[in-house]
């Protein structure tokens, strides 16, 4: 309701909502969208070169005549913005002074220097409106009268504010609880889920799995003793195999609800069909080859795969221009009627690509190949090693419900798959995995899920191990 105290902000919020509802209804023509994107791109470039010390230098020579001449073909002539730019320039990246923001966030700083991520009213209105319009379809599919659990870090982080605001926009009550916090903890979080009859949970996949493990350890059945209808998962890789694993553990539907980062805000949102969609009213998307930096070609079906590059089409505290996210994605044309934006499929970080016997394997490839064949699993970790003759091997360590093991048929199917796809001898083992698998959202999927014995520990794996030690007493 803060918008009612400022007429200009109120008018902007109402226009933003109208635009997103029209887009959601399929009322924007492709020509209207492209015109909107090009005009907003020009506006963002004017805005950042005028207000951001970094972009005033980075985009030097970009005058009004060159902006008017800007075309889709010349966008790629603009220089990239990188993560190193964010880490070295810090507040010089901003296009507004901090006192013009309504809240200050920053990146976690677990794998590099924390960078400032303030939000002003424009940032929050544009991003939260897009999420609210998309999520409305998901919530309605699961009935009414929802009590929402929001489980994510709150200190200097946007999770609680964003999902709390969206729950309120949709007319649902919510409770913020961070199970890793000493103030809450997993035991109390489970009690609250039951006491107030939570029906929907926003959290990271590792939190959903950790809650299921803790419930089982307490003699509770997640499927029978809780009323959770669906999970909205974010913060780390969430393949269909992992979503199915979490859904089966809880007897609920699990969605990969969001693709975003603290520095780049909302880049994708789940819609009623259960798939992530781009948000083209807010963001300009490019897909590049991460090595050559040239645009990734589309295949016969229009699918583009490579590193995602984004430009913000709204003018808030910290718009980014041609920002290299470091993430591998696939963008595909949406099929049929409905929300008219591309499907967005996160594949993992560029740095998380693994070589297995000469095969380039993404995080998505590994997880979604193995997990659908591992029924009854509550957690997993991969171990990569190399034999004396130079053959890469793969093992999966599983934490299963009630100590069950995979059937011989499923184990053999996994062995065949690993051999046929990656030339890897494959083994399965069982047991407790400790806290390292809970660090994916804070460090990386690879640091949390992969123990690569072929090389010495990298810095991210060491960070994950240190963090895991502090979480071992969940």
């Amino acid at each position: 309701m803060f918008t009612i105290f400022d007429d200009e902000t109120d008018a902007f919020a109402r226009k933003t909502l109208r635009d997103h509802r029209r887009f959601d209804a399929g009322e924007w023509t492709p020509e209207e969208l492209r015109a909107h994107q090009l005009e907003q791109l020009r506006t963002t470039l004017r805005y950042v070169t005028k207000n951001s010390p970094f972009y005033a230098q980075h985009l030097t020579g970009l005058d009004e005549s060159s902006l008017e001449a800007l075309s889709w073909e010349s966008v790629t002539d603009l220089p990239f913005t990188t993560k190193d730019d964010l880490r070295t320039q810090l507040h010089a990246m901003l296009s507004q002074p901090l006192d013009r923001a309504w809240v200050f966030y920053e990146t976690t700083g677990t794998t590099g220097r924390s960078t400032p991520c303030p939000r002003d009213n424009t940032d929050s209105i544009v991003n939260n409106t897009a999420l609210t319009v998309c999520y409305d379809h998901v919530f309605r599919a699961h009935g009414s009268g929802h009590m929402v659990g929001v489980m994510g870090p709150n200190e200097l982080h946007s999770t609680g504010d964003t999902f709390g605001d969206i729950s309120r926009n949709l007319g649902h009550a919510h409770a913020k609880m961070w199970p890793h916090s000493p103030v809450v903890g997993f035991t109390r979080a489970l009690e609250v889920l039951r006491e107030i009859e939570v029906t929907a949970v926003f959290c990271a996949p590792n939190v959903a799995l950790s809650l299921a493990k803790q419930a089982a350890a307490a003699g509770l059945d997640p499927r029978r003793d809780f009323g959770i209808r669906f999970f909205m998962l974010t913060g780390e890789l969430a393949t269909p195999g992992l979503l199915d694993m979490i859904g089966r553990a809880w007897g609920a539907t699990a969605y990969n609800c969001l693709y975003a980062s603290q520095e780049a805000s909302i880049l994708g949102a789940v819609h009623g069909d259960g798939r992530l969609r781009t948000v083209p009213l807010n963001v300009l998307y490019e897909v590049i080859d991460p090595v050559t930096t040239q645009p990734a070609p589309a295949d016969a079906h229009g699918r583009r795969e490579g590193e995602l590059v984004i430009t913000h089409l709204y003018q808030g505290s910290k718009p980014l221009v041609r920002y290299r996210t470091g993430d591998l994605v696939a963008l595909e044309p949406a099929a049929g009627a409905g929300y008219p934006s591309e499907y967005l499929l996160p594949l993992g970080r560029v740095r998380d690509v693994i070589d297995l016997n000469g095969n380039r394997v993404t995080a998505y490839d590994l997880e979604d190949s193995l997990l659908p064949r591992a029924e009854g699993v509550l957690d997993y970790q991969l171990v990569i090693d190399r034999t004396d003759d130079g053959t890469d091997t793969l093992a999966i360590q599983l934490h299963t419900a009630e100590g069950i093991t995979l059937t011989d048929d499923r184990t053999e199917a996994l062995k065949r798959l690993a051999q046929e796809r990656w030339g890897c001898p494959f083994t399965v083992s069982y047991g407790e995995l400790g806290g390292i698998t809970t660090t994916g959202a804070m460090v990386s999927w690879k640091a949390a899920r992969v123990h690569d014995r072929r090389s010495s520990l990298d810095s991210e794996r060491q960070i994950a191990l240190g963090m895991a030690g502090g979480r071992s007493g969940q």
Side-chain angles (χ1 to χ4, degrees), residues 357 383-385 387 389 391-396 414-415 418-420 422-428:
N357 296 312
V383 180
I384 302 172
D385 213 334
T387 63
D389 67 1
T391 300
D392 293 329
T393 66
L394 186 61
I396 190 167
L414 286 169
K415 290 181 179 180
Q419 184 63 50
E420 291 170 1
W422 312 306
C424 291
F426 187 85
T427 57
V428 180

Side-chain angles (χ1 to χ4, degrees), residues 47-67:
Y47 180 80
V48 298
T49 53
K50 177 181 178 181
N51 295 299
S52 165
F54 167 75
Y55 279 118
Q57 294 297 317
H58 194 60
L59 300 175
T60 185
L62 192 65
D63 56 20
E64 188 60 32
S65 62
S66 56
L67 283 173

Side-chain angles (χ1 to χ4, degrees), residues 243-260:
L243 296 176
D244 184 61
M245 190 169 92
I246 293 170
R248 281 185 276 125
W250 285 93
T253 304
Y255 297 95
N256 185 9
C257 78
L258 180 70
Y259 172 62

Side-chain angles (χ1 to χ4, degrees), residues 101-115:
W102 79 269
V103 65
F104 178 83
Y105 305 127
E106 63 181 18
T107 55
T108 59
T110 51
T111 59
R113 186 173 183 177
S114 296
T115 60

Side-chain angles (χ1 to χ4, degrees), residues 238-315:
T239 63
L242 182 63
L243 296 176
D244 184 61
M245 190 169 92
I246 293 170
R248 281 185 276 125
W250 285 93
T253 304
Y255 297 95
N256 185 9
C257 78
L258 180 70
Y259 172 62
S261 67
Q262 195 82 315
E263 63 268 26
S265 293
I266 309 304
L267 304 178
V270 71
H271 207 266
D273 59 3
R275 299 188 64 176
L276 283 175
R277 301 297 190 93
T278 59
V279 189
L281 295 188
N282 299 353
V283 179
L284 181 66
Y285 300 82
E286 300 175 62
V287 182
I288 65 169
D289 182 306
V291 177
T292 68
T293 72
Q294 295 302 302
D299 66 14
H301 304 288
R303 175 187 170 108
R304 296 175 290 153
E305 183 174 323
E307 181 182 354
L308 182 65
V309 175
I310 65 95
T311 299
H312 290 128
L313 300 178
Y314 54 93
Q315 297 78 49

Side-chain angles (χ1 to χ4, degrees), residues 152-172:
N154 294 309
E155 295 84 356
L156 297 176
H157 203 278
S158 59
T159 299
D161 290 331
T162 298
F163 293 134
D165 189 38
I166 290 161
S167 298
R168 191 177 187 183
N169 290 346
L170 293 173
H172 304 298

